[in-house]
Amino acid sequence: NHAIVRVVLGGKAYFIDPTLQNERGQISALPVPVPSAAALIVSSNSTGLVTLPAEAMDEALVERSERMTIGSLHGDAQLQLKLEYRGRYAAGMRRAYRAISFVELKKMLLEQFERTYPGVQIKEVPKLGDGAGGASFIVEAQFTLPKVLKEKDGDFSLAQRSHIIEGTLGLPQKLVRKQPFWLDAGRYRARYSLEVTLPNEARLVKEDDSLSVKNQYFDARAQLAWRGASLNYGVDYVIGNPEVAPAVDFLTIHLLPY
């Protein structure tokens, strides 16, 4: 009971929903309203249904970047956060963030870090803007993290939380099912990166490491690298097939430690 518009430019067809608000950017960058759905073109030449294009997954729909600078082993850290939303997330997040007050925005951003870094403070007014010619929506903020390195028996550790997997699964409490189960995020790709500049006196006690999980539902990879006073950690997380058949054992859906 809904109609979308088929636009042909330069010999290529694009499908757009003119009722959607807060979409920006070139028409070629707009997300398909109902990816892979069957649609009927209203035309005297139509002979049947057509399949809409699949959702583009070559770039992360949600990209979270954190850059942390730690001046001393016992000192505070400065953290720069950049969140970039693309595809079907761009318009929704643009509308959601711009609809709330600064007080609510500040509270929402601080809540992301308070459990990991108690006492965190936001330094200035967060910045909201568009990227990629309007095709993406960007949130930027700066924080002070008090005494971010925790010492135990002469060793120091740094807590970290990527956030990009949280809320994407929605596993039901009842695992015995007669109907297929659909993961909350649907087809999804997210990326997380953490760049840390450490004090010069810091010394590595862990080799470079990587972890990957790949099955019929997920493809997730994490990579840790340390070079001199710089530590880099990244996660690339993809839900390729969000539909879980009733007979599938839930143990095959790995809960990823990222």
Side-chain angles (χ1 to χ4, degrees):
N1 63 348
H2 187 62
I4 60 177
V5 177
R6 179 177 181 262
V7 180
V8 179
L9 294 175
K12 185 175 181 179
Y14 300 94
F15 297 87
I16 61 174
D17 186 345
T19 67
L20 294 179
Q21 298 180 351
N22 295 286
E23 284 195 327
R24 298 178 183 175
Q26 297 184 355
I27 190 172
S28 59
L30 296 179
V32 180
V34 191
S36 303
L40 175 66
I41 298 177
V42 182
S43 169
S44 59
N45 298 326
S46 294
T47 58
L49 299 177
V50 298
T51 301
L52 300 185
E55 185 174 28
M57 299 289 283
D58 51 334
E59 285 190 293
L61 298 174
V62 178
E63 185 158 2
R64 184 184 183 96
S65 304
E66 297 176 3
R67 299 181 63 183
M68 184 185 302
T69 301
I70 308 173
S72 64
L73 293 176
H74 298 280
D76 297 344
Q78 304 303 313
L79 176 70
Q80 293 180 318
L81 169 69
K82 179 181 179 181
L83 291 168
E84 185 163 8
Y85 299 98
R86 304 184 180 93
R88 56 184 156 94
Y89 281 82
M93 290 300 177
R94 182 180 290 115
R95 179 172 57 251
Y97 275 96
R98 294 194 183 280
I100 62 177
S101 67
F102 166 68
V103 173
E104 294 172 315
L105 175 59
K106 178 180 176 181
K107 179 181 178 182
M108 182 174 64
L109 292 173
L110 284 173
E111 285 176 346
Q112 298 182 23
F113 294 100
E114 286 174 337
R115 190 171 73 181
T116 309
Y117 308 116
V120 58
Q121 296 181 351
I122 199 163
K123 293 184 64 176
E124 55 188 41
V125 178
K127 297 179 181 178
L128 307 179
D130 295 326
S136 68
F137 180 68
I138 297 174
V139 180
E140 294 180 285
Q142 298 186 40
F143 304 85
T144 297
L145 314 178
K147 296 183 179 179
V148 69
L149 294 175
K150 305 305 179 185
E151 183 179 8
K152 183 178 180 180
D153 300 328
D155 294 330
F156 291 85
S157 62
L158 174 65
Q160 167 275 329
R161 182 178 169 193
S162 73
H163 296 271
I164 62 172
I165 297 177
E166 298 168 19
T168 64
L169 300 178
L171 299 181
Q173 294 182 351
K174 186 176 181 180
L175 302 185
V176 179
R177 298 161 298 112
K178 295 182 180 181
Q179 301 296 327
F181 168 69
W182 190 267
L183 299 177
D184 276 0
R187 292 185 72 246
Y188 179 76
R189 181 172 184 179
R191 182 178 295 115
Y192 169 77
S193 64
L194 172 65
E195 299 179 18
V196 183
T197 300
L198 294 156
N200 292 329
E201 60 268 35
R203 293 293 181 269
L204 174 65
V205 292
K206 182 177 177 60
E207 299 293 334
D208 289 0
D209 196 10
S210 63
L211 174 67
S212 64
V213 174
K214 186 174 183 178
N215 57 34
Q216 66 193 95
Y217 307 103
F218 304 106
D219 186 355
R221 306 171 190 275
Q223 182 74 40
L224 173 69
W226 185 314
R227 298 292 182 272
S230 297
L231 182 150
N232 293 274
Y233 177 68
V235 179
D236 196 6
Y237 170 57
V238 177
I239 299 178
N241 174 25
E243 184 175 348
V244 184
V248 171
D249 187 340
F250 260 77
L251 293 179
T252 64
I253 300 182
H254 300 275
L255 299 182
L256 310 178
Y258 302 136

